[in-house]
Amino acid sequence: MALASQDPAADGAQEAAAPEAPAADPGTAAAVAAAEAAGLAAGETVRIDSWIWAVRLVKTRSLGATACRGGHVHVNGERVKPAYSVRVGDEVRLRHEGRERVVIVKRLIRKRVGAPVAAQCYNDNSPPPPPREAVAPVGIRDRGTGRPTKRDRRELERLRGLGTPDAPGAPEARRRPAP
């Protein structure tokens, strides 16, 4: 049995401190509340490599730092180093895994949180990813079919454009002339 607070003013203060947008899932709401409780104090800053890791844009913090050093992270149109302090309202552009992500910072967090909570820390303005069928590789073999035969290999090369009959070394070019 839960005990009710004896002070009605304390109950009103707790209701006023609730998050602005209630989450649909109670577990997400609890995670958001925990993230807010462990949030930053006024005036504290977060490194960009740490922030892009915390909101799950990259898998590890070292990958975030490497992306910054490689020039793949821009904040408000400028290349940044890993120690750059990100602020609420900044536009972060990240090129990662062949895709560009464009996000606007809504909340600063330092620790990595779950995906539903992380998604509430930024507005995603990224272009949509390319459709899957457009990037499907040519010549994929089914598992368990074994090694390709010579005929299969030639068909795969022809599909990829590697084996053309006019190329030097093609089987027709190696034949001896008839006597």
Side-chain angles (χ1 to χ4, degrees):
M1 178 168 120
L3 297 175
S5 173
Q6 298 296 331
D7 185 15
D11 288 338
Q14 289 175 349
E15 291 172 6
E20 309 87 37
D25 182 26
T28 303
V32 169
E36 297 240 344
L40 302 173
E44 286 192 59
T45 60
V46 178
R47 291 171 52 114
I48 186 67
D49 61 340
S50 179
W51 187 81
I52 62 176
W53 165 74
V55 297
R56 297 178 170 265
L57 293 177
V58 293
K59 280 189 174 184
T60 64
R61 183 173 170 186
S62 63
L63 277 177
T66 304
C68 291
R69 278 190 235 106
H72 300 290
V73 179
H74 291 78
V75 176
N76 298 327
E78 295 183 22
R79 251 177 89 168
V80 293
K81 293 182 179 180
Y84 181 85
S85 296
V86 69
R87 292 184 281 273
V88 174
D90 284 346
E91 178 190 62
V92 178
R93 290 181 173 267
L94 168 70
R95 277 184 303 156
H96 183 62
E97 295 177 351
R99 182 172 174 218
E100 183 173 27
R101 301 288 305 265
V102 181
V103 297
I104 307 294
V105 179
K106 282 176 35 179
R107 182 181 301 149
L108 296 177
I109 58 172
R110 184 169 286 144
K111 295 195 175 194
R112 192 167 172 99
V113 293
V117 179
Q120 295 179 358
C121 295
Y122 60 85
N123 287 332
D124 195 356
N125 297 335
S126 303
R132 284 194 172 265
E133 56 272 357
V135 294
V138 176
I140 296 286
R141 293 178 51 84
D142 294 328
R143 281 187 68 111
T145 57
R147 289 183 57 175
T149 63
K150 194 171 200 178
R151 181 179 179 185
D152 293 339
R153 182 181 50 81
R154 286 184 178 156
E155 287 176 5
L156 287 172
E157 287 176 353
R158 190 170 20 89
L159 281 174
R160 292 182 186 145
L162 299 176
T164 59
D166 299 330
E172 292 82 21
R174 282 186 267 156
R175 288 191 188 146
R176 291 185 187 156

